[in-house]
Amino acid sequence: MGPEEGDFAFKSQDNDGKPLDIYKYGGKESIIKECEDSLRRLKTDYIDLYQQHWPDVTTPIPETMEALAQLIKSGKVRAAGVSNYDRAQMTEAEKTLKLASDQVPYSMVRRDIEQELVPYCIENKKSILAYSPLQRGVLTGKIRPGYTFNEGDNRGDSKYFTGGNLTRINAFLEELRPLAADRGPVWRSW
């Protein structure tokens, strides 16, 4: 939510509803400043895992990784990871810095990481931190064809919520319901 530098990502809004443009920026000075700001807000001396959230096509990957390496060397970060990097980007990053992880979207309907990224991470002993396991809510079964999204909610533009995909996903979920019901309640008090 900083300066308008780097690769434009998307339009959003702040907590007060004011329009906000989000940029992906991996410049060295920015990475270091953002980490130091985070340390100050968290009132701590170090961060266990610090991740570059998006690749930035306007900043060379080695520059971003040099910033993360500098933060590790200074003791402000114990390990560095990335988010939303593909296999080629991780390979490029690792020429500068040993990464701990890659945080990527992964769900029953979004499994593309299984082709290249998962084998790479297994082979190179990298952790995968999956996000969006319910694919931005579509796998809850609460969003049916004809659902109207609120203003500012960009999920309606996603392929999972358009065309026949939403119908197919809901049919798939209906097939799973009996299996889930046979298992009983998921939550149990120990």
Side-chain angles (χ1 to χ4, degrees):
M1 293 18 112
E4 294 181 358
E5 293 183 77
D7 184 22
F8 175 75
F10 56 89
K11 292 191 170 294
S12 187
Q13 46 187 268
D14 66 14
N15 291 336
D16 298 321
K18 181 181 170 191
L20 183 67
D21 290 343
I22 305 296
Y23 287 81
K24 306 171 190 177
Y25 185 52
K28 188 173 183 178
E29 309 82 33
S30 179
I31 298 286
I32 292 168
K33 180 191 179 309
E34 294 298 330
C35 180
E36 290 172 351
D37 289 350
S38 293
L39 290 167
R40 190 172 31 265
R41 284 190 303 268
L42 293 168
K43 297 179 182 161
T44 187
D45 297 331
Y46 67 91
I47 296 171
D48 288 315
L49 176 62
Y50 196 68
Q51 294 190 178
Q52 170 61 18
H53 189 67
W54 281 306
D56 165 21
V57 299
T58 69
T59 304
I61 289 174
E63 178 182 335
T64 303
M65 296 306 117
E66 286 170 14
L68 295 172
Q70 183 176 329
L71 290 167
I72 291 170
K73 187 175 182 180
S74 68
K76 294 177 182 177
V77 169
R78 295 213 170 145
V82 292
S83 184
N84 300 305
Y85 275 48
D86 62 25
R87 178 189 178 131
Q89 291 163 324
M90 285 192 76
T91 301
E92 178 69 20
E94 291 235 295
K95 292 176 183 175
T96 306
L97 173 70
K98 180 176 170 47
L99 295 171
S101 60
D102 192 0
Q103 183 179 19
V104 290
Y106 185 57
S107 71
M108 288 190 295
V109 295
R110 186 166 182 184
R111 299 174 55 183
D112 54 312
I113 68 167
E114 294 173 359
Q115 300 304 308
E116 290 188 14
L117 189 62
V118 169
Y120 173 84
C121 288
I122 290 170
E123 180 181 330
N124 293 282
K125 298 180 174 31
K126 308 295 171 205
S127 296
I128 293 176
L129 308 173
Y131 74 82
S132 201
L134 295 176
Q135 197 51 54
R136 301 185 67 204
V138 74
L139 291 172
T140 64
K142 295 178 181 178
I143 300 173
R144 302 286 182 172
Y147 184 89
T148 302
F149 292 95
N150 292 331
E151 185 178 339
D153 188 336
N154 62 7
R155 290 180 295 171
D157 298 330
S158 166
K159 68 179 181 180
Y160 301 102
F161 297 92
T162 58
N165 289 332
L166 188 55
T167 301
R168 284 189 290 278
I169 289 169
N170 276 289
F172 168 67
L173 293 173
E174 287 304 317
E175 290 179 32
L176 292 179
R177 285 188 198 287
L179 297 171
D182 288 348
R183 300 293 301 163
V186 174
W187 179 258
R188 293 190 173 97
S189 64
W190 304 103

